[in-house]
Amino acid sequence: QVQLVESGGGLVQPGGSLRLSCAASGSIFSINTMGWYRQAPGKQRELVASITKGGSTNYADSVKGRFTISRDSAKNTVYLQMNTLKPEDTAIYYCNADVIDGRWGPVGPYWGQGTQVTVSS
């Protein structure tokens, strides 16, 4: 079984920065795409950023130039560096991974439990 655990969320003032981490563990042979989604109160969950095994990235227009996604495939870990945070970034952030299981092959997607990011003065 595969588990994803997020960390790094918290309360920050507008203009501040946070770095989120997500570590995957379990029966993992490899991970193709990893990404971050977020869900704000009263809103649908949306893609924030994703990164493929080959390093290709894509971002929501609202975070381009402010957020950077990266990964360490050897450690099955993905990061999200968030700079110049705005109140509109307030949401629960969820890690997502497209996993190739060590025993069963392609499975998933798997989701983390989420980490709260609150941007407020």
Side-chain angles (χ1 to χ4, degrees):
Q1 192 169 8
V2 176
Q3 293 183 338
L4 275 62
V5 179
E6 302 101 333
S7 62
L11 174 64
V12 65
Q13 293 184 352
S17 298
L18 286 173
R19 191 189 193 205
L20 306 183
S21 299
C22 172
S25 62
S27 182
I28 300 172
F29 180 76
S30 66
I31 301 175
N32 290 330
T33 302
M34 302 187 77
W36 290 95
Y37 291 71
R38 67 186 181 187
Q39 188 165 21
K43 304 294 184 181
Q44 292 185 328
R45 187 175 298 187
E46 65 174 351
L47 175 68
V48 178
S50 65
I51 183 168
T52 68
K53 189 175 183 179
S56 297
T57 60
N58 71 315
Y59 297 89
D61 288 341
S62 60
V63 306
K64 286 182 178 178
R66 299 188 298 120
F67 292 9
T68 302
I69 190 170
S70 61
R71 67 186 287 174
D72 185 339
S73 293
K75 297 181 179 180
N76 292 323
T77 301
V78 64
Y79 307 92
L80 185 68
Q81 179 66 46
M82 305 185 294
N83 298 326
T84 320
L85 283 161
K86 304 175 180 179
E88 307 91 85
D89 297 317
T90 296
I92 301 175
Y93 284 70
Y94 297 91
C95 178
N96 172 270
D98 180 13
V99 173
I100 299 177
D101 188 87
R103 179 177 181 181
W104 300 110
V107 295
Y110 283 92
W111 294 88
Q113 294 298 307
T115 184
Q116 177 71 49
V117 172
T118 302
V119 185
S120 177
S121 60

